[in-house]
Amino acid sequence: MTLSNPKRRELIHTREIKCVGYKRDDGLWDIEANMKDLKSYEFNSDHRGIVKVGNAVHDMWIRLTLNNKLEIIEIEASTDSSPYKDCPLIIPNYQKLKGLIIGPGWRKLVNSRLIGVNGCTHLTELLGPIATTAFQTIYSYNLKNNKTAKPSKSLINSCHIYSENSSLVKKNFN
């Protein structure tokens, strides 16, 4: 652990997020994300009764199928565990993302379709890390396998290292 030693404490909640990128045989890409919330204590749920330690409060999945342009070709979402029985009813709304391209303004674009009552907070949260996983999967693979490929210009000004004035950008984009 690279953080300093913490004060004495008790574990209450764990959120696990896992994102994985796959290259498909048909030339498309599958990017999957899973979010799991766990409590260190059991509690009563109106929908599920007693939720025991080790049983997920949330266990939710999203798979985006993308092309090389990071365009969403297909989307699938699933809620295996939720605190309320009606949580999975919002899943069809995620089809509103089909045809969108992951790039600058991604979060704003997602929020314009799925903010508030039009989406699920937890599934929508997964779309941030799934986007960076898609970028890391697709662009990194394509750069590795195509020596003439250049990094995407959408990186410019995306963070301090990709500032338009940085030596990295001057080297790779001029």
Side-chain angles (χ1 to χ4, degrees):
M1 174 147 90
T2 59
L3 298 175
S4 63
N5 289 329
K7 302 285 186 208
R8 189 171 170 186
R9 59 194 183 173
E10 175 187 0
L11 176 65
I12 303 297
H13 181 86
T14 301
R15 171 165 286 178
E16 300 170 350
I17 296 176
K18 182 176 182 180
C19 299
V20 185
Y22 299 93
K23 184 178 185 310
R24 295 174 22 157
D25 290 343
D26 62 3
L28 297 175
W29 304 85
D30 281 339
I31 312 299
E32 295 178 356
N34 171 244
M35 174 188 290
K36 193 176 284 190
D37 281 328
L38 303 160
K39 300 288 186 199
S40 65
Y41 54 89
E42 66 180 44
F43 64 95
N44 188 37
S45 163
D46 290 340
H47 162 55
R48 294 167 47 191
I50 299 294
V51 178
K52 302 244 183 230
V53 174
N55 290 342
V57 179
H58 298 102
D59 190 358
M60 300 175 165
W61 297 82
I62 293 183
R63 177 188 300 132
L64 299 183
T65 300
L66 307 168
N67 61 22
N68 279 319
K69 296 179 197 168
L70 278 73
E71 177 185 6
I72 299 173
I73 306 302
E74 297 172 14
I75 183 167
E76 183 179 348
S78 172
T79 298
D80 293 343
S81 295
S82 62
Y84 307 104
K85 73 175 181 153
D86 290 343
C87 286
L89 297 178
I90 201 65
I91 287 173
N93 272 16
Y94 285 79
Q95 294 302 312
K96 294 177 181 180
L97 300 178
K98 215 181 238 186
L100 296 181
I101 296 174
I102 296 173
W106 169 246
R107 289 178 198 267
K108 190 174 183 180
L109 201 54
V110 166
N111 286 339
S112 73
R113 287 165 171 74
L114 299 171
I115 195 84
V117 298
N118 295 312
C120 163
T121 299
H122 302 88
L123 286 172
T124 302
E125 280 180 18
L126 280 176
L127 293 167
I130 210 170
T132 55
T133 302
F135 196 86
Q136 288 290 327
T137 300
I138 297 168
Y139 280 117
S140 296
Y141 183 87
N142 286 338
L143 284 171
K144 175 181 91 75
N145 290 297
N146 180 355
K147 303 303 181 203
T148 62
K150 287 210 168 247
S152 170
K153 288 190 177 195
S154 67
L155 288 171
I156 297 174
N157 291 326
S158 65
C159 76
H160 80 98
I161 199 67
Y162 281 103
S163 162
E164 62 191 46
N165 299 317
S166 73
S167 59
L168 181 74
V169 167
K170 289 177 183 172
K171 175 184 170 195
N172 288 301
F173 296 98
N174 289 331

